[in-house]
Amino acid sequence: MELSLPREHGPISIRLIKSRDSRVLQQALLDNRGWLEQWEATSPDGVVSLDMRLGIRRLLQQYRDGLGVPLVMEYDGEVAGQLNVWGIARGSLASATIGYWVSESFAGLGITPTAVALATDLCFTELRLHRMEICIRPENAASLRVVEKLGFRYEGLRRRYIHIDGDWRDHYAFALTREDVPYGVLERWVSGQAPRDAANIPLADRNAAAPES
């Protein structure tokens, strides 16, 4: 895949991850353990070592195989976090899922919603995907605000969906299709046209996925 990267909006940009990003990303993950640990994917088979160089090699291989697009989020040229497009399916499904993390020091600057919008537009226009999904733990209020801002549509509760922070966790699923945003996710958001209630979660699902104590 040859994609038009980087993409940017103001001081915020996304670009393809590089092998030389391993040191700064690994340090960011270590520095933000308390901030990120409760949202990190884990393995039911036991502890997995944090080797960012190996992780980047695997992500870039998935990119070469057409299965994902591993991106770095930057603010004024400084690495702020990661955004991964993963699980790319072609053919009749033509879909993918987005996951991301941002360093605590960059929180509140609009980086994540902007990067998600840029990445979704990239997938719709250049990868010609039809549907993009984001799955979020009920406890993750910051990520829920991202899909609310961008007008992602709530599509249901996935019980014990992903192994996170040592156990199988419920997730809310949100999605957009290409028809939802004919002029792009970013344009719809910055022009104030994103629907404000698309990401609303029914009370029954909120109760069924009550945050764990």
Side-chain angles (χ1 to χ4, degrees):
M1 292 183 288
E2 289 294 333
L3 301 176
S4 300
L5 289 166
R7 288 193 171 206
E8 59 186 31
H9 177 71
I12 300 163
S13 64
I14 57 172
R15 63 168 173 80
L16 192 66
I17 201 169
K18 302 173 183 177
S19 296
R20 66 172 179 263
D21 292 319
S22 61
R23 180 175 296 180
V24 66
L25 287 172
Q26 183 148 343
Q27 190 60 52
L29 288 173
L30 291 172
D31 292 343
N32 286 270
R33 286 302 283 168
W35 168 254
L36 297 172
E37 191 170 19
Q38 61 182 321
W39 316 122
E40 288 180 353
T42 47
S43 171
D45 298 321
V47 177
V48 177
S49 64
L50 177 62
D51 185 339
M52 185 56 68
R53 286 181 298 179
L54 177 60
I56 290 176
R57 284 200 296 270
R58 288 174 174 169
L59 289 171
L60 289 173
Q61 184 60 55
Q62 291 174 6
Y63 174 67
R64 289 188 289 271
D65 292 340
L67 301 175
V69 183
L71 301 165
V72 168
M73 298 186 288
E74 293 186 330
Y75 188 87
D76 276 339
E78 188 174 353
V79 172
Q82 274 184 271
L83 185 152
N84 290 321
V85 177
W86 59 276
I88 292 177
R90 296 292 185 176
S92 57
L93 194 54
S95 69
T97 298
I98 288 177
Y100 48 79
W101 63 265
V102 66
S103 294
E104 186 173 12
S105 60
F106 288 97
L109 298 176
I111 295 170
T112 303
T114 303
V116 169
L118 290 168
T120 303
D121 288 341
L122 175 76
C123 290
F124 283 157
T125 58
E126 296 196 37
L127 295 182
R128 304 301 297 167
L129 296 180
H130 177 251
R131 180 179 182 276
M132 297 299 294
E133 180 174 278
I134 298 176
C135 294
I136 301 170
R137 285 187 62 184
E139 303 88 344
N140 195 339
S143 278
L144 291 174
R145 286 194 295 272
V146 170
V147 292
E148 289 167 2
K149 289 177 181 178
L150 297 180
F152 272 70
R153 178 178 52 257
Y154 179 70
E155 293 201 336
L157 172 64
R158 296 189 175 178
R159 301 308 303 264
R160 298 179 64 79
Y161 177 55
I162 304 176
H163 202 270
I164 300 283
D165 192 24
D167 203 356
W168 297 102
R169 310 291 184 177
D170 292 352
H171 281 69
Y172 295 138
F174 302 86
L176 282 177
T177 62
R178 198 189 308 167
E179 295 89 346
D180 293 325
V181 285
Y183 303 107
V185 183
L186 183 66
E187 175 61 27
R188 188 177 72 161
W189 176 41
V190 299
S191 64
Q193 298 181 53
R196 297 186 177 184
D197 60 352
N200 285 357
I201 301 162
L203 181 60
D205 284 359
R206 288 187 180 274
N207 290 337
E212 300 176 14
S213 57

